[in-house]
Amino acid sequence: MKNLRFGLVAGLALLLYSACSKEPEPGPPLVYDPVPYEIDIPSWFPPMTIPPGNPTTVQGVALGRRLYYDPILHPAGATSCAGCHFQERSFSSGPAILPHVNLGWNRNFLWNGRVQGTLEDIMYFEVTEFFKTDISRLQNHPEYPRLFYEAFGIRQISHELAAKALAQWMRTLISANSPRDQSIWGVPRIFLPDEAIDGAIIFNTERGDCFHCHGGIFFTDNQFHNIGLDAEPAEPGYEAVSGNPADRGKFKTPTLRNIALTAPYMHDGRFKTLEEVIDFYSEGVKKSPNIDPLMKWAHLGGLHLSAKEKSDLLAFLHTLTDSSFIRDPRFKSPF
Amino acid sequence: MKHVVIASAFMAAIFSFLSCGKNKETENTVTLRLEHAVAGAPLTLNKIQYQAQSGHRFSVERLKYYISNVVLYRADGSTYESDAVHYREEGIAATAELALGDVPDGEYTRLRFIVGLDETTNKPNGLPPTPENINMEWPIPGEEGYHYMKFEGKYDSMGAGVIKSFNLHTGAAKNQPYYVAVDLTLSGLSVDNDNWNITLQMDLNEWLQNPHTYDFEQFGPGIMTKPAAQQILMENGASLFTVHAAVRE
């Protein structure tokens, strides 16, 4: 028992000494006092699951926002996340740059699903594999060491911490205020044009059958489908991840929220306009061996929509544009 | 130090004794394991290899459904009722089992449940907004609720050699409840301070036969607005499941 007591005292002394030994550093003292950040989730969206290891804080979100807009993540400082993901285009750009919108509810990332899991996982991929961020650039920066300490209480910056900050920021990029939303949940509710209402019926019934993949509050099922773009898909798509030949040519369903802002379309950007996309679903579907059964009229080449049905559908898609999201000052560059 | 170790071991023993005792007395679990087959053979996806009674050869590419309103009956008619709504998806192992907790001791002779959702659940926001439930939504204007099931694949339409798709999406088409009532006889399920596993096998061919022959060609690739197709599937569904095993853990 005597030995135990001695050990405890010695341990405590060592702890105090090591804590004290870090103190004599130049500059103002660092403060770690994170303030919880309440993510602004509209009542018609489901709750967001936040990993317990990365609670959202004011300091973490601010740091993530700054990193998103700062080319410092690129080893040569050539570009930032925002260099390809423009706010005015729902944080996308062409060709085939997926939008950063409502990703806090997402589980499959990138067109082929190469990263699955949380926003922390995909952001870790971005800083380690996409950007190959040189952490020493952050560590030697005049401000980032303080900002990371304020967000996480840790002096040693790492890829993991950068990913956590980016993930916190990305969770705040919520788009939920389109005319379609306002027509259902707005106070007061707004009225949509007749052609958009007719388009919604095509969308939400088996006539257009858009909803099975692009349905729900997020306008995506967050799954992978081969929609018959090519008889023999040139790119493996989800097959590259799963290893299953049945997954060849399957790509992630993109959200249709703000779809009018995110041209060109498809994983390879082959369609320049929404009109071209609708024409594809109407008359351009190819019979691929593993085309999704939900492409119900593939054997006839598509849905064969009338001109009015096409324009109604287009009118509906335009009601999914959230113009307040693309102007929200909280999401603009902090620089 | 020796005393500390002995005391810790003693406390651990007491703790484990107490927790075991609690389990034995009040927490019997009956686990329903949901497996899928076609013509008695375990289901394999994505290959046109199965024979329907209508004559078409077909593949299965996707299978998702709910079971709910699970009731276990004792011989005297008394029941254990579960309010669980269970989502099952082929290929997702985590959805294979539904654990019914706190099942009282007794000899259970009958198991009933529905494939789908009853009227109290099948309405907008009737289920928690999980990704799976959101993807099961049935958004047809005036009928909003959830799909009971999505059973999708392709078939050879014969003669023409054309491959077409089928999507057996069951739900409350035209607001009529087409959920399937399953009623199974159990033998030997004698819950007595223990846990049981019941393996239930859904044979997908039963959706397409018995008593009615379901013809993919007759109803086309989508049936969400086709009550006649929903009616056939509802009636065929009664023979979907068989009890493959009821074993004590």
Side-chain angles (χ1 to χ4, degrees):
Chain A
M1 204 59 190
K2 198 172 168 186
N3 285 347
L4 186 63
R5 203 175 300 144
F6 176 74
L8 279 173
V9 172
L12 191 61
L14 192 63
L15 193 67
L16 286 170
Y17 172 74
S18 61
C20 291
S21 69
K22 285 183 184 166
E23 282 306 315
E25 282 187 5
L30 299 178
V31 177
Y32 175 57
D33 187 17
V35 178
Y37 183 103
E38 189 162 340
I39 299 176
D40 186 13
I41 299 174
S43 61
W44 55 96
F45 270 30
M48 190 189 291
T49 303
I50 313 264
N54 192 25
T56 318
T57 66
V58 171
Q59 290 84 350
V61 170
L63 173 58
R65 178 186 179 192
R66 179 168 173 153
L67 291 171
Y68 189 88
Y69 280 98
D70 193 338
I72 197 169
L73 293 183
H74 189 282
T79 189
S80 65
C81 307
C84 290
H85 296 272
F86 308 147
Q87 184 181 6
E88 64 272 23
R89 298 186 62 187
S90 194
F91 292 101
S92 78
S93 67
I97 304 291
L98 281 164
H100 289 166
V101 52
N102 301 331
L103 292 185
W105 289 273
N106 219 69
R107 293 180 296 182
N108 295 317
F109 299 95
L110 309 177
W111 279 105
N112 67 2
R114 181 173 166 189
V115 178
Q116 301 179 14
T118 64
L119 270 171
E120 284 75 6
D121 296 320
I122 179 64
M123 290 299 113
Y124 186 78
F125 166 86
E126 298 290 355
V127 292
T128 56
E129 294 191 47
F130 183 75
F131 278 128
K132 295 184 168 58
T133 298
D134 177 357
I135 289 297
S136 69
R137 285 167 60 89
L138 291 165
Q139 193 73 61
N140 297 327
H141 189 273
E143 294 174 71
Y144 276 114
R146 175 177 61 82
L147 296 174
F148 272 88
Y149 189 84
E150 288 173 355
F152 299 108
I154 296 173
R155 286 179 167 79
Q156 181 59 52
I157 299 175
S158 63
H159 289 108
E160 186 185 0
L161 289 185
K164 282 184 167 182
L166 286 163
Q168 289 189 38
W169 147 254
M170 300 283 281
R171 288 198 172 90
T172 70
L173 298 179
I174 295 172
S175 178
N177 192 32
S178 67
R180 165 73 168 170
D181 295 302
Q182 294 169 33
S183 75
I184 301 171
W185 296 283
V187 181
R189 290 166 61 176
I190 66 165
F191 291 95
L192 297 180
D194 286 347
E195 57 266 35
I197 293 170
D198 290 346
I201 292 169
I202 297 167
F203 188 97
N204 279 322
T205 63
E206 287 182 299
R207 176 64 189 112
D209 215 334
C210 314
F211 70 93
H212 274 117
C213 301
H214 292 286
I217 197 70
F218 299 116
F219 290 87
T220 172
D221 64 355
N222 200 13
Q223 300 293 307
F224 304 91
H225 302 274
N226 177 335
I227 59 172
L229 286 168
D230 302 292
E232 293 180 18
E235 294 182 55
Y238 188 49
E239 181 192 21
V241 176
S242 72
N244 184 352
D247 291 327
R248 187 162 188 85
K250 290 185 181 178
F251 292 92
K252 182 176 133 169
T253 309
T255 179
L256 296 189
R257 284 187 174 273
N258 303 322
I259 193 66
L261 304 173
T262 64
Y265 302 104
M266 305 298 163
H267 65 279
D268 52 6
R270 68 177 65 189
F271 299 131
K272 304 280 183 294
T273 64
L274 283 175
E275 286 86 342
E276 287 183 27
V277 174
I278 293 171
D279 285 344
F280 158 75
Y281 282 110
S282 183
E283 292 98 22
V285 177
K286 310 287 195 307
K287 285 182 283 185
S288 172
N290 59 344
I291 191 170
D292 200 291
L294 289 166
M295 299 298 292
K296 294 175 181 168
W297 301 102
H299 60 285
L300 301 178
L303 296 160
H304 293 277
L305 300 166
S306 69
K308 181 181 183 319
E309 286 175 318
K310 288 182 179 181
S311 61
D312 288 347
L313 211 41
L314 186 64
F316 175 70
L317 293 176
H318 276 282
T319 69
L320 305 180
T321 302
D322 176 357
S323 53
S324 63
F325 174 72
I326 61 174
R327 296 194 192 99
D328 194 321
R330 293 174 299 172
F331 307 145
K332 290 186 185 303
S333 170
F335 295 109
Chain B
M1 201 61 192
K2 198 172 169 187
H3 288 164
V4 175
V5 172
I6 291 170
S8 301
F10 184 67
M11 290 299 286
I14 295 254
F15 183 75
S16 61
F17 173 75
L18 286 174
S19 49
C20 280
K22 194 179 171 201
N23 272 343
K24 287 289 178 192
E25 284 171 14
T26 62
E27 293 187 6
N28 302 324
T29 299
V30 174
T31 300
L32 305 182
R33 182 172 179 81
L34 301 164
E35 297 186 346
H36 306 132
V38 183
L43 173 64
T44 59
L45 296 176
N46 302 321
K47 185 180 175 193
I48 295 181
Q49 60 182 324
Y50 298 122
Q51 184 72 44
Q53 193 173 67
S54 63
H56 299 108
R57 290 171 59 76
F58 69 100
S59 68
V60 181
E61 299 197 13
R62 199 173 280 128
L63 178 65
K64 308 173 172 185
Y65 61 91
Y66 292 108
I67 72 166
S68 59
N69 294 13
V70 178
V71 184
L72 285 166
Y73 290 77
R74 294 190 188 86
D76 64 4
S78 63
T79 61
Y80 164 90
E81 298 181 14
S82 168
D83 58 6
V85 173
H86 184 72
Y87 171 79
R88 175 73 171 107
E89 180 173 344
E90 169 63 29
I92 307 293
T95 66
E97 294 185 347
L98 166 59
L100 307 171
D102 294 329
V103 178
D105 288 352
E107 180 94 19
Y108 293 90
T109 57
R110 189 178 175 200
L111 167 65
R112 297 181 73 185
F113 57 86
I114 66 173
V115 180
L117 305 167
D118 69 15
E119 295 89 331
T120 61
T121 309
N122 191 38
K123 58 188 180 185
N125 304 311
L127 293 172
T130 62
E132 293 75 19
N133 290 337
I134 290 173
N135 284 344
M136 289 294 273
E137 285 175 1
W138 179 284
I140 292 179
E143 302 175 8
E144 290 90 346
Y146 299 89
H147 290 71
Y148 300 156
M149 174 182 73
K150 296 180 181 179
F151 166 19
E152 302 168 2
K154 299 197 187 84
Y155 69 98
D156 189 332
S157 69
M158 299 195 303
V162 173
I163 304 300
K164 298 181 181 176
S165 76
F166 67 87
N167 293 266
L168 302 188
H169 289 189
T170 60
K174 311 288 185 196
N175 289 315
Q176 294 303 304
Y178 290 109
Y179 55 75
V180 171
V182 176
D183 190 343
L184 299 166
T185 300
L186 300 172
S187 63
L189 181 64
S190 181
V191 178
D192 180 15
N193 283 346
D194 50 17
N195 299 325
W196 285 74
N197 293 314
I198 302 178
T199 299
L200 303 174
Q201 188 178 78
M202 174 195 278
D203 195 313
L204 293 174
N205 256 355
E206 291 300 304
W207 285 112
L208 311 175
Q209 62 191 24
N210 190 18
H212 310 289
T213 300
Y214 183 96
D215 188 338
F216 300 125
E217 199 78 10
Q218 180 186 353
F219 293 109
I223 60 164
M224 293 175 74
T225 56
K226 294 178 179 168
Q230 300 284 339
Q231 183 74 26
I232 286 176
L233 294 171
M234 180 183 74
E235 293 178 16
N236 285 358
S239 56
L240 272 178
F241 281 97
T242 48
V243 180
H244 265 236
V247 293
R248 185 181 274 120
E249 242 179 30

